[in-house]
């Protein structure tokens, strides 16, 4: 996004430099009015049955399916990824999200009875309800400008909330496409609003105007800044802040599948996937064979602007000039410290006018290199040989980022046992970089990869406030521990404790015989006051 005339921004295709769209900046002075409209619409929406909410989502799903090719082209032109990539990882997950949340939110968020904890509270009954937060803010990134925010929009709406969305500054045209998708859902006016502007300025405006929760996907520094801002008003936040994902290849792995998966998960979206493979640890007996296979496949890949003159490519451009500089810096750092380029992808078409970087396979890497110890967020894969699975686990866990990881082995039982020891929010066996598309599975990481979860039942719960409602089954005048206090109350409480946790049958029987008449008398008699 580049500001052109005052009050507008222009979205440029990072693969070609051509202008994609021009949008008006949102006047943040009008945020109080926007928030008021959102709150009024949300109060109405919160009273809407889940089945009705689901019907609105189905209208959005139908729009997405009918206009899938147009949406894929918009994402491709705004973000720089290929249209096949956009269709598979952006458009399809949005339709799946409408379907899953529409079907399951009502059951997952319905009031639920909570079983009693002890006989002492046998007269108490409890339900837990999950009520809408109110108005939620979503600040989304440029690497998946459609699927990341739209999944959160679907969750928020099914949970009964209003949404204020701010898409990434680099991809505002996708925000306008989301406006059209949501408009197809025929929602109450003001329930969904798209805001165009600076991320930091919009975040401040959201906090200043009492947003009920903020969902942010982006960098670790930006996430820490937002969390510090949120602390001033104790506004809850959900933060997904990236990853430096390890892939562990055991000696018994299917190397054909492992190298296919590594190429996809490392180079897809030009490596701009927080859940993509960045580090690969291969057991020594198969290291050379793995590298040779992955090198052949890396060289077979094509990067370029794509789908012109009937030509499709595998990898598009990076989205921003700043990200291209970061990837270049990480490669230069690795080469200066002794890394070797084993293979790179081949350019197709005009790659001089876009933010292109070849898929690059590195060996001879070590933990001092930026591409190993930091998130590169580009199409570079670093491969290391390890003695065994234990050394691989140690290397994989030695990171401040812990979003996803994978283990590749034919022994599923062994793989699952090792997966439980990997310090990441998601671990997959013999696959990588797809679980964000599973609406039913929670998404999020540990350590500095963020806090909170989106997707699945856990993501829906993040969109709600938990509320306990508790009542008496039988009407009583007083509880055991209420006034007035006297020796009988003190002894009654002791009897209750010994009844609950007796040292033997005799103590339990004695306590129950003494407790019962006192409990009945206190609960069901009046407090006689002179």
């Amino acid at each position: 996004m580049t500001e052109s005339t005052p009050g507008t921004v222009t979205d440029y295709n990072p693969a070609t430099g051509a202008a994609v769209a021009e949008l008006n900046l949102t006047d943040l002075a009008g945020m109080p009015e926007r928030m008021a409209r959102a709150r009024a619409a949300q109060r109405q929406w919160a009273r809407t049955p889940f089945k009705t909410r689901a019907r609105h989502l189905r209208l959005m799903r139908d729009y997405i399916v009918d206009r899938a090719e147009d949406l894929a082209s918009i994402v491709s032109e705004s973000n720089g990824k290929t249209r096949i990539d956009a269709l598979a990882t952006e458009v399809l997950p949005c339709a799946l999200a409408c379907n899953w949340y529409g079907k399951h939110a009502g059951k997952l968020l319905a009031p639920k009875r909570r079983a009693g904890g002890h006989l002492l509270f046998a007269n108490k009954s409890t339900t837990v309800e999950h009520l809408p937060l109110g108005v939620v803010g979503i600040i989304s990134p440029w690497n998946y400008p459609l699927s990341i925010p739209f999944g959160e929009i679907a969750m928020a709406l099914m949970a009964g909330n209003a949404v204020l969305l701010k898409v990434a500054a680099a991809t505002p045209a996708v925000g306008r496409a989301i406006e059209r998708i949501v408009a197809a859902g025929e929602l109450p006016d003001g329930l969904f609003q798209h805001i165009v502007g600076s991320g930091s300025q919009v975040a401040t405006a959201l906090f200043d105007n009492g947003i009920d929760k903020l969902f942010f996907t982006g960098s670790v520094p930006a996430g820490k800044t937002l969390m510090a801002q949120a602390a001033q008003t104790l506004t809850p936040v959900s933060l997904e802040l990236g990853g430096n994902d390890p892939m562990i290849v055991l000696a018994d792995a299917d190397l054909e599948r492992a190298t296919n998966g590594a190429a996809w998960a490392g180079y897809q979206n030009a490596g701009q996937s927080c859940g993509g493979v960045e580090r690969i640890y291969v057991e020594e007996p198969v290291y050379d064979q793995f590298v040779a296979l992955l090198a052949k496949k890396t060289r077979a890949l094509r990067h370029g602007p794509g789908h012109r003159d009937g030509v499709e490519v595998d990898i598009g451009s990076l989205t921003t000039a700043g990200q291209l500089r970061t990837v270049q810096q990480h490669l230069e750092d690795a080469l200066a410290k002794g890394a070797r380029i084993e293979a790179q992808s081949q350019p197709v078409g005009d790659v001089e006018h876009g933010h292109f970087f070849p898929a690059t396979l590195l060996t001879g890497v070590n933990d001092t290199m930026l591409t190993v110890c930091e998130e590169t967020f580009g199409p570079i894969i670093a491969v290391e040989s390890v003695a065994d699975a234990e050394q691989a686990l140690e290397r994989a866990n030695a990171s401040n980022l812990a979003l996803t990881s994978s283990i590749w082995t034919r022994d599923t039982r062994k793989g699952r046992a090792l997966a439980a020891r990997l310090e990441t929010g998601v671990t997959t066996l013999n696959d990588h970089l797809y679980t964000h598309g599973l609406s039913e599975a929670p998404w999020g990481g540990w350590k500095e990869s963020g806090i909170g979860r989106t997707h699945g039942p856990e993501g829906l719960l993040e969109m709600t406030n938990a509320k306990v409602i508790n009542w008496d089954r039988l009407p009583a005048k007083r509880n055991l521990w209420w006034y007035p206090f006297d020796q009988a109350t003190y002894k009654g409480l002791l009897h209750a404790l010994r009844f609950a946790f007796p040292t033997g049958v005799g103590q339990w029987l004695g306590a129950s015989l003494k407790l019962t008449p006192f409990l009945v008398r206190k609960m069901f008699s009046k407090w006689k006051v002179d």
Side-chain angles (χ1 to χ4, degrees):
M1 181 183 76
T2 302
E3 189 164 351
S4 47
T5 57
T8 66
V9 292
T10 302
D11 192 336
Y12 291 96
N13 185 338
T16 64
V20 174
E22 186 173 83
L23 288 82
N24 292 323
L25 286 166
T26 301
D27 183 2
L28 296 182
M31 187 62 80
E33 187 272 335
R34 283 181 172 272
M35 186 67 76
R37 286 174 54 223
R39 293 208 180 281
Q42 190 274 328
R43 285 190 289 270
Q44 172 190 347
W45 183 248
R47 295 190 293 270
T48 304
F50 284 108
K51 287 185 178 180
T52 303
R53 298 177 199 172
R55 181 181 63 80
H56 289 277
L57 251 65
R58 285 195 297 273
L59 292 173
M60 297 182 206
R61 182 197 64 193
D62 292 345
Y63 180 96
I64 292 167
V65 173
D66 289 343
R67 293 164 177 79
E69 290 188 90
D70 290 341
L71 290 170
S73 294
I74 291 168
V75 172
S76 176
E77 292 172 357
S78 182
N79 161 276
K81 66 181 65 179
T82 68
R83 64 174 181 171
I84 295 175
D85 202 340
L87 189 63
T89 67
E90 301 262 27
V91 179
L92 177 60
C94 290
L96 292 171
C98 289
N99 206 56
W100 196 85
Y101 294 114
K103 284 185 176 181
H104 297 286
K107 181 179 179 181
L108 291 168
L109 298 180
K112 292 179 176 60
R113 292 289 291 270
R114 186 64 56 89
H118 197 276
L119 188 59
L120 284 174
F121 292 98
N123 195 42
K124 297 293 185 182
S125 187
T126 300
T127 62
V128 179
E129 298 190 6
H130 294 282
L131 305 180
L133 293 166
V135 183
V136 300
I138 297 173
I139 297 181
S140 62
W142 42 257
N143 59 327
Y144 292 93
L146 178 61
S147 61
I148 287 180
F150 188 79
E152 293 173 354
I153 291 166
M155 284 182 277
L157 292 174
M158 283 306 301
N161 298 296
V163 177
L164 299 183
L165 169 70
K166 210 295 290 187
V167 303
T171 55
V174 181
R176 189 162 65 183
I178 293 174
E179 285 185 49
R180 292 195 287 266
I181 295 172
V182 177
E186 300 176 358
L187 299 176
D189 181 60
L191 190 68
F192 170 84
Q193 299 174 53
H194 173 216
I195 299 170
V196 181
S198 155
S200 61
Q201 292 175 3
V202 171
T204 298
L206 292 174
F207 287 131
D208 288 348
N209 286 276
I211 199 74
D212 292 298
K213 188 169 184 176
L214 180 66
F215 290 79
F216 172 78
T217 304
S219 70
V220 172
K224 289 180 177 180
T225 298
L226 288 175
M227 194 168 180
Q229 274 188 280
Q232 302 305 309
T233 51
L234 290 181
T235 302
V237 294
S238 176
L239 306 174
E240 198 270 89
L241 306 178
N244 184 12
D245 287 11
M247 170 177 170
I248 295 176
V249 182
L250 302 185
D252 70 339
D254 178 345
L255 296 187
E256 174 63 20
R257 180 173 177 86
T259 50
N260 291 340
W264 157 255
Y267 303 140
Q268 180 269 338
N269 196 24
Q272 299 170 122
S273 298
C274 48
V277 168
E278 299 213 357
R279 303 173 285 148
I280 303 180
Y281 301 101
V282 185
E283 286 192 316
E284 192 275 332
V286 295
Y287 173 79
D288 289 339
Q289 187 181 356
F290 177 89
V291 170
L293 274 172
L294 184 53
K296 288 180 181 178
K297 291 167 182 176
T298 299
R299 283 189 288 269
L301 292 171
R302 301 150 300 164
H303 64 272
H307 69 271
R308 285 165 178 79
D309 301 321
V311 177
E312 297 283 356
V313 297
D314 304 294
I315 303 168
S317 74
L318 283 92
T319 305
T320 70
Q323 191 57 40
L324 175 60
R325 288 192 296 270
T326 296
V327 177
Q328 291 169 334
Q329 177 192 6
H330 280 209
L331 179 60
E332 291 166 2
D333 170 81
L335 295 177
K337 293 175 179 176
R340 297 182 302 279
I341 296 177
E342 292 288 339
Q344 290 185 309
S345 59
Q346 304 304 309
V348 173
D350 180 9
V351 297
E352 299 301 320
H353 295 91
H355 304 320
F356 291 99
F357 193 93
T360 302
L361 177 63
L362 291 181
T363 58
V365 298
N366 61 61
D367 292 346
T368 69
M369 297 176 183
L370 295 176
T371 195
V372 175
C373 64
E374 296 184 9
E375 182 180 37
T376 298
F377 218 59
I380 296 177
I381 296 176
V383 186
E384 289 189 50
S385 174
V386 292
D388 51 30
E390 291 300 319
Q391 186 180 31
L393 284 171
E394 181 182 355
R395 297 279 184 86
N397 287 336
S399 175
N400 67 313
L401 297 173
L403 186 57
T404 81
S405 56
S406 62
I407 295 175
W408 301 71
T409 175
R410 287 184 168 92
D411 187 341
T412 301
R413 184 175 181 180
K414 179 180 180 181
R416 290 178 64 183
L418 292 171
R421 298 170 59 194
L422 276 166
E423 298 169 355
T424 55
V426 176
T427 300
T428 51
L429 301 185
N430 301 315
D431 211 331
H432 204 116
L433 188 59
Y434 68 96
T435 55
H436 190 272
L438 299 179
S439 298
E440 68 273 19
W443 176 260
W446 303 356
K447 302 180 184 178
E448 291 192 2
S449 282
I451 58 174
R453 291 294 183 271
T454 60
H455 297 192
E458 293 81 359
L460 281 168
L461 292 176
E462 292 266 2
M463 293 286 181
T464 67
N465 283 314
K467 183 178 183 65
V468 171
I469 299 179
N470 181 274
W471 66 94
D472 285 343
R473 299 174 191 271
L474 298 174
K477 304 297 184 184
R478 292 176 290 173
N479 287 329
L480 172 64
W481 52 91
W482 282 8
Y483 296 133
F485 286 169
D486 52 23
Q487 281 295 312
T489 302
Y490 181 79
K491 290 180 180 179
L493 288 169
L494 283 177
H495 296 324
L497 183 65
R498 289 163 183 162
F499 169 80
F501 306 105
T503 57
V505 175
Q507 188 182 63
W508 176 83
L509 183 59
S512 62
L513 290 173
K514 294 174 182 177
L515 173 64
T516 302
F518 171 75
L519 188 63
V520 171
R521 189 167 58 250
K522 179 134 188 181
M523 288 181 64
F524 298 102
S525 66
K526 292 183 179 180
W527 178 4
K528 296 179 181 179
V529 181
D530 294 334

